[in-house]
Amino acid sequence: MPRLRVSRFAVAGLAFLAATASAATVDRTLSNGLKVIVKEDHRSPVVASQVWYKAGSIDEFNGTTGVAHVLEHMMFKGTKKVGPGEFSKIIAEAGGRENAFTSSDYTTYFEQVEKSKLPLAFRLEADRMQNLALSADEFAKEIKVVMEERRWRTEDKPQSLVYEQTVATAYQEHPYRRPVIGWMNDLQHMTVDDARDWYRRWYAPNNAVLVVVGDVKADEVFKLAQTYFGKLKPHALPLRKPQEEPKQDGTKRVTVKAPAKLPYLLMAYHAPVLRDVDKDWEPYALEVLAGVLDGNPAARLNRSLVREQQVASEVGAGYDAVSRGPALFVVEGTPSEGKTVGALETAIRAELERIKKDGVTAEELARVRSQVVAAKVYQRDSMFYQGMVIGQMELSGLSYKDIDARLAKLQQVTPEQVRDVARKYLTDDNLTVGTLDPQPLDTKKPAMPPKGLHHDF
Amino acid sequence: MISKKLALLAAGFGLLLSAAAQAALPIQHWKTDNGTRVYFVESHDLPMLDVSVDFAAGSAYDTAPKSGLASLTRHMLALGAGGVSEDDIAKGLADVGASLGGAFDQDRASYTLRTLSGQRERVQSLALLAKILQQPDFPTAILEREKKRAIAALREEDTQPESIAAKAFFRDLYGGHPYGLPPAGKPETVAALSRDEVAAFYRAHYTAGSAVVSLIGDVSRAEAEAIAKELSSNLPAGAGEGAIPPVAQLAKAEQQTIAHPAKQSHILIGDVGVRRGDPDYFPLFVGNHVLGGGGFTSRLMQDVREKRGLAYSVYSYFEPLRQEGPFVIGLQTKREQTAQALEVVRDTLKEFVAAGPKAAELEKAKQNIVLGFPLRIDSNAKILGYLAMIGFYDLPLTYLDDFVRHVERVGVRDVKDAFARRVHPDRMVTVVVGGGE
């Protein structure tokens, strides 16, 4: 998808006025395409700096799945000027914290520092945006770390395996079917050249957004950004194909066997995401639906399935309206002792049917609205989190300027809209069901070594 | 966090102290009429209030046959109180956008509340918190349901390598001491717990005298006083029962391997560590930053991950408690390389305990902690955590102001001596869950 609204607010003076008047969020786009967004927050003498690259597993190809995340690891392994591991040491000596994360949609690098250290963070980030060393020796060590990460995150966690398999089943054509961490076999055969290709392809100022939240002045941050990032050269970005997921026609099911005691159920329905903050209404209704089902301890699923029917010992629902690709509306749960996943699935379906038939109450909607109002205040307690909200909106093709409008629209959802999206999307033909079939520990010998493990160093 | 007024004040202090030492966090402290200690930071930047109420009611107050009682009691408080049903409690909080949280460890059981500070939201949510703390009903049917859920979760945990390792580690490290008990009990001990036992545990441990109320947010001192009174006035009387017994040092090295089909071995190595407030704490804290607490720059991370690619995560920490809490080194590695990883970790530890940190290394660790101090108190949530800790462990009100000075004072010799006293590479507990082939 092409980037939207990259340079809407290019007049420096205007941005500065806005900043001093209300400490609103302001942005400016450098001539090389780097968008800089600043939110002043003077509660504490610190600053959070985040560089968001629009490059995630959604952009990967078969055979090199996981490369977005591997590159994230390699970004700490040195540039022409800064040796391997030096990035972390320099930030640490300045009293800072740094790390990074990769998602299906983006890769984000961040520093949290006392405010006077922001130039240091910018210098280092600008350096690795264009000068990464990517040595074969460092790659050989780091790919082992990433494989350990996959074992830790996914392979030895039964519920993570169910999630991975369910998503891979729900999507047939869309790249979201591939896990962010990558398939083990692809990691085993990944080379430093795969990482180099990825870096050359996506790491450019015109594919990045710099988000700064903290005790800073916006105009000074823009100047600093110009000083450190301004000289970096943009390059043409590869064409991104739509890869749209076709409509699903019929329930899909997948079972995972893994050492565990309790079964687990994950139901995933294809759902739309927010593309037009003003005109769309379904994503808001789906967000409210998730809130009515599981947004607070008084919500329906917990009350009905855990407390009253006692068919589940844990239950939850989730939906994320903001992302580059499509969404899944998920309901998950663990059956109570003596109950089967089948019984839990039946009970969950009955809850969903009730909403399709009778809708939700005004009381439930009011409760979700209260949560939204409160969350808007609470999120301001964390500079880092405020930056996350800004970055996620921007990287999903929306704008940080839509954050408040989005919250306002959420408040306007009606009971009928919630009922209607439940009717439209929570249907059998649109559903993928993943279940965990727990296996006793003793009968399962060294669990399914992936093919090619013997190649592994 | 700190209001603008306070931030300015802190900046003023900054001129006198080092630039990073602008900690000044004015904590107001008093006792309610019935003996509850209160810690308060007034901050009007955001229209919200955070409250924590902490009790000496952690798993250390369990006994082996009744293991899980402390955890179940804390959990039950919010599931029906003062005649208000669990659903109505949940609704009453959600209706005003308030969220209930809390924590549970060996020493402490707590409830936290985050609420908007407007009159309506604040009054409604605090009234519910007061009910939860003061008039829990412990309905029998709900107790039985929650026991079943807890037992199911424990049985699940007992198949997962991470929790198997943690439980075995604490059992080996603490032997018969209550710090060695599994925090949420065992399936068979939880199954045997009765409503009377839960109610009795509550009366003995959720007392006004042992309670600590911490608040930060958009209320005045007078309002904070009224809130503290509301939260504590009808708590059971008394100072709280039972003292946590002293912890014995390990007599010899213990190692056990628990077979598990996981692809990675989960490894924990450790020793009996340090008490909260112990003079050795800062040398150990700063020293451990060099050893395994300082993220990517720490020695364990360098030796295990950065140089050899043997693990994704490797760390060490001291957890100071009322009595000596644990010193823990943890990592996960592909099962086939378990022995190699263990050897690297042991060599790194041995070398560190024998020779201490290098002077330059220690300086860099101190620099990270000192210059990064503002990040420790940059949100109300973080400050609330410190208030509760200072209150619960009776630390000086100036704990945060002194923090930087304590860190700056630590020298190579201090670290070496403190580690020599506390960490004994030749007699530690090692637990491996997975395989060593």
Side-chain angles (χ1 to χ4, degrees):
Chain A
M1 185 199 318
R3 288 148 50 72
L4 302 177
R5 301 169 183 158
V6 173
S7 53
R8 256 200 350 204
F9 221 1
V11 186
L14 194 60
F16 175 67
L17 279 178
T20 48
S22 65
T25 310
V26 292
D27 69 277
R28 189 201 278 186
T29 301
L30 307 186
S31 60
N32 60 15
L34 178 71
K35 184 170 186 179
V36 185
I37 304 174
V38 183
K39 184 171 191 185
E40 294 189 23
D41 182 336
H42 303 288
R43 297 167 66 224
S44 187
V46 301
V47 59
S49 171
Q50 304 168 343
V51 181
W52 296 68
Y53 291 93
K54 194 167 184 172
S57 60
I58 190 175
D59 302 301
E60 293 171 351
F61 302 120
N62 278 351
T64 50
T65 64
V67 68
H69 171 251
V70 169
L71 197 274
E72 177 220 306
H73 279 238
M74 292 306 295
M75 284 281 275
F76 295 89
K77 295 301 177 180
T79 65
K80 290 161 193 162
K81 289 183 210 154
V82 177
E86 285 298 314
F87 189 106
S88 302
K89 284 182 195 152
I90 294 168
I91 294 293
E93 283 163 32
R97 302 172 190 175
E98 42 68 33
N99 214 327
F101 47 87
T102 307
S103 85
S104 52
D105 291 357
Y106 46 76
T107 312
T108 306
Y109 302 83
F110 64 85
E111 293 79 37
Q112 293 167 279
V113 289
E114 190 274 323
K115 63 180 176 179
S116 72
K117 307 296 183 188
L118 186 61
L120 179 67
F122 276 17
R123 177 166 69 73
L124 290 165
E125 286 294 1
D127 177 40
R128 69 179 174 181
M129 189 178 281
Q130 216 135 60
N131 301 312
L132 201 61
L134 283 167
S135 90
D137 286 351
E138 292 296 330
F139 179 87
K141 285 186 287 184
E142 200 60 22
I143 194 70
K144 294 206 282 186
V145 171
V146 173
M147 285 189 269
E148 291 293 350
E149 184 177 354
R150 185 182 155 82
R151 291 182 189 104
W152 175 77
R153 221 175 253 297
T154 307
E155 305 210 342
D156 284 340
K157 295 215 166 101
Q159 295 190 2
S160 303
L161 284 174
V162 173
Y163 181 80
E164 185 176 89
Q165 291 294 317
T166 305
V167 171
T169 306
Y171 291 113
Q172 177 163 321
E173 298 181 24
H174 194 277
Y176 277 179
R177 73 195 314 270
R178 301 187 293 250
V180 175
I181 189 85
W183 301 119
M184 187 56 110
N185 191 257
D186 286 350
L187 296 177
Q188 283 159 353
H189 295 94
M190 196 167 283
T191 66
V192 69
D193 284 331
D194 295 322
R196 284 177 186 146
D197 283 349
W198 184 261
Y199 182 67
R200 274 190 220 117
R201 187 176 275 261
W202 298 119
Y203 280 67
N206 51 321
N207 195 38
V209 177
L210 171 61
V211 179
V212 175
V213 182
D215 190 12
V216 292
K217 291 215 170 68
D219 59 327
E220 289 174 10
V221 174
F222 292 143
K223 273 186 214 151
L224 266 185
Q226 178 61 40
T227 304
Y228 290 102
F229 294 91
K231 56 185 178 292
L232 301 177
K233 292 195 174 42
H235 63 68
L237 300 172
L239 181 67
R240 302 177 202 256
K241 306 284 178 80
Q243 304 187 78
E244 272 173 24
E245 182 67 17
K247 184 172 161 291
Q248 184 176 327
D249 292 312
T251 306
K252 304 184 203 178
R253 290 186 180 270
V254 59
T255 303
V256 175
K257 290 184 177 180
K261 173 70 185 171
L262 301 176
Y264 171 69
L265 171 73
L266 179 63
M267 301 168 72
Y269 299 90
H270 292 286
V273 295
L274 194 54
R275 292 285 176 244
D276 184 320
V277 172
D278 293 324
K279 295 204 184 94
D280 289 347
W281 64 271
E282 290 183 341
Y284 302 119
L286 286 161
E287 284 188 290
V288 171
L289 175 59
V292 167
L293 288 171
D294 184 38
N296 58 74
R300 280 195 187 205
L301 289 178
N302 194 35
R303 190 188 65 219
S304 175
L305 304 184
V306 177
R307 294 178 177 171
E308 291 171 9
Q309 300 178 46
Q310 305 190 14
V311 64
S313 68
E314 305 289 339
V315 69
Y319 164 74
D320 191 352
V322 175
S323 71
R324 285 175 57 193
L328 292 172
F329 190 103
V330 301
V331 184
E332 55 162 2
T334 300
S336 305
E337 185 126 44
K339 308 279 184 188
T340 61
V341 269
L344 177 57
E345 186 183 330
T346 303
I348 288 173
R349 282 166 178 275
E351 286 303 318
L352 303 181
E353 287 306 318
R354 198 161 298 139
I355 289 180
K356 288 193 219 172
K357 185 164 163 283
D358 305 329
V360 297
T361 66
E363 189 195 346
E364 287 175 305
L365 276 199
R367 199 167 290 138
V368 172
R369 280 200 284 270
S370 299
Q371 310 267 300
V372 173
V373 170
K376 197 177 156 184
V377 173
Y378 300 159
Q379 75 180 38
R380 288 168 59 200
D381 194 35
S382 162
M383 292 186 191
F384 188 80
Y385 185 71
Q386 293 177 73
M388 287 291 296
V389 174
I390 292 169
Q392 280 168 352
M393 290 290 280
E394 290 288 323
L395 273 283
S396 304
L398 303 169
S399 164
Y400 70 85
K401 291 170 190 169
D402 296 329
I403 290 172
D404 286 347
R406 185 183 158 206
L407 296 177
K409 293 288 261 185
L410 265 177
Q411 308 278 59
Q412 294 161 15
V413 171
T414 65
E416 293 73 30
Q417 288 178 322
V418 177
R419 183 199 61 202
D420 290 349
V421 289
R423 285 180 181 170
K424 182 169 174 185
Y425 294 105
L426 306 187
T427 64
D428 284 351
D429 285 354
N430 194 29
L431 168 66
T432 303
V433 182
T435 51
L436 172 65
D437 180 1
Q439 302 295 303
L441 296 192
D442 43 4
T443 61
K444 198 150 166 77
K445 287 303 283 178
M448 341 170 252
K451 284 184 191 114
L453 189 67
H454 53 280
H455 292 157
D456 176 332
F457 310 95
Chain B
M1 48 148 300
I2 321 176
S3 71
K4 293 215 175 65
K5 194 171 59 193
L6 300 178
L8 281 175
L9 199 134
F13 275 125
L15 298 174
L16 301 173
L17 306 171
S18 73
Q22 39 187 265
L25 186 72
I27 301 172
Q28 304 183 48
H29 169 54
W30 65 93
K31 261 189 182 187
T32 64
D33 294 342
N34 56 343
T36 296
R37 286 171 291 145
V38 188
Y39 297 79
F40 172 51
V41 172
E42 186 170 345
S43 167
H44 300 284
D45 281 352
L46 299 176
M48 58 188 243
L49 173 69
D50 284 286
V51 180
S52 181
V53 187
D54 294 61
F55 298 91
S59 59
Y61 299 93
D62 276 345
T63 57
K66 304 283 177 202
S67 177
L69 178 58
S71 170
L72 185 65
T73 303
R74 196 207 85 90
H75 179 68
M76 284 300 298
L77 293 187
L79 303 182
V84 183
S85 73
E86 58 173 343
D87 270 328
D88 287 338
I89 290 172
K91 283 178 188 166
L93 292 168
D95 281 342
V96 292
S99 60
L100 197 63
F104 182 81
D105 64 22
Q106 296 96 321
D107 290 348
R108 260 198 285 183
S110 72
Y111 268 91
T112 57
L113 177 76
R114 171 165 274 196
T115 178
L116 295 172
S117 55
Q119 177 81 4
R120 184 179 76 90
E121 293 89 352
R122 175 159 57 95
V123 167
Q124 180 164 327
S125 58
L126 284 165
L128 285 167
L129 178 61
K131 265 199 205 315
I132 287 168
L133 298 175
Q134 297 167 5
Q135 307 170 57
D137 291 331
F138 305 122
T140 310
I142 294 178
L143 182 74
E144 288 310 310
R145 182 193 75 203
E146 293 306 311
K147 277 167 61 178
K148 276 189 203 146
R149 289 180 67 203
I151 291 165
L154 288 169
R155 290 199 177 128
E156 175 63 21
E157 276 177 27
D158 288 344
T159 65
Q160 299 307 307
E162 203 157 355
S163 19
I164 296 173
K167 288 180 191 178
F169 175 77
F170 278 92
R171 201 167 52 227
D172 288 356
L173 188 62
Y174 286 104
H177 189 278
Y179 281 174
L181 295 172
K186 296 177 178 180
E188 61 275 19
T189 59
V190 173
L193 296 174
S194 71
R195 185 188 178 282
D196 286 350
E197 286 164 337
V198 170
F201 188 91
Y202 165 76
R203 282 193 304 274
H205 296 284
Y206 286 76
T207 64
S210 79
V212 174
V213 173
S214 311
L215 311 101
I216 176 167
D218 180 28
V219 290
S220 67
R221 163 74 183 239
E223 286 164 337
E225 284 183 20
I227 292 167
K229 193 173 170 192
E230 181 190 8
L231 292 176
S232 63
S233 57
N234 288 312
L235 288 171
E241 282 178 20
I244 301 172
V247 171
Q249 293 295 315
L250 292 165
K252 58 180 175 53
E254 303 254 10
Q255 173 159 354
Q256 66 162 318
T257 300
I258 302 172
H260 190 285
K263 290 178 182 164
Q264 284 185 322
S265 290
H266 287 246
I267 302 171
L268 292 172
I269 304 172
D271 202 343
V272 168
V274 65
R275 289 188 208 188
R276 188 58 81 178
D278 190 296
D280 268 348
Y281 176 64
F282 279 95
L284 293 172
F285 169 71
V286 178
N288 184 63
H289 199 84
V290 175
L291 174 63
F296 284 97
T297 56
S298 75
R299 282 200 191 181
L300 284 170
M301 195 68 124
Q302 287 296 318
D303 292 347
V304 176
R305 173 170 161 162
E306 299 297 283
K307 289 187 193 149
R308 296 179 178 84
L310 289 172
Y312 171 64
S313 156
V314 55
Y315 55 83
S316 64
Y317 64 89
F318 286 90
E319 184 194 7
L321 291 171
R322 182 76 70 199
Q323 297 292 352
E324 284 80 358
F327 166 69
V328 186
I329 300 176
L331 68 153
Q332 309 85 31
T333 189
K334 187 166 70 167
R335 54 192 297 136
E336 295 80 357
Q337 61 202 16
T338 302
Q340 185 196 355
L342 257 177
E343 193 184 333
V344 172
V345 168
R346 284 185 171 142
D347 287 350
T348 300
L349 178 68
K350 237 181 254 169
E351 153 72 20
F352 185 80
V353 174
K358 296 196 177 79
E361 243 181 335
L362 186 68
E363 276 319 301
K364 283 176 182 172
K366 284 159 62 174
Q367 213 172 312
N368 174 251
I369 299 167
V370 169
L371 294 177
F373 181 76
L375 293 169
R376 290 178 185 267
I377 53 167
D378 67 358
S379 70
N380 290 9
K382 290 179 190 173
I383 292 172
L384 184 74
Y386 278 115
L387 293 180
M389 181 191 90
I390 288 167
F392 186 80
Y393 290 107
D394 256 323
L395 301 174
L397 284 184
T398 54
Y399 179 84
L400 287 168
D401 305 79
D402 301 339
F403 184 90
V404 164
R405 207 160 41 247
H406 280 132
V407 169
E408 280 173 338
R409 211 181 276 156
V410 172
V412 170
R413 188 79 235 169
D414 303 317
V415 174
K416 214 182 142 189
D417 290 352
F419 266 80
R421 278 192 288 276
R422 307 292 176 152
V423 178
H424 310 90
D426 55 337
R427 52 158 223 247
M428 293 178 71
V429 164
T430 304
V431 171
V432 177
V433 176
E437 70 269 32

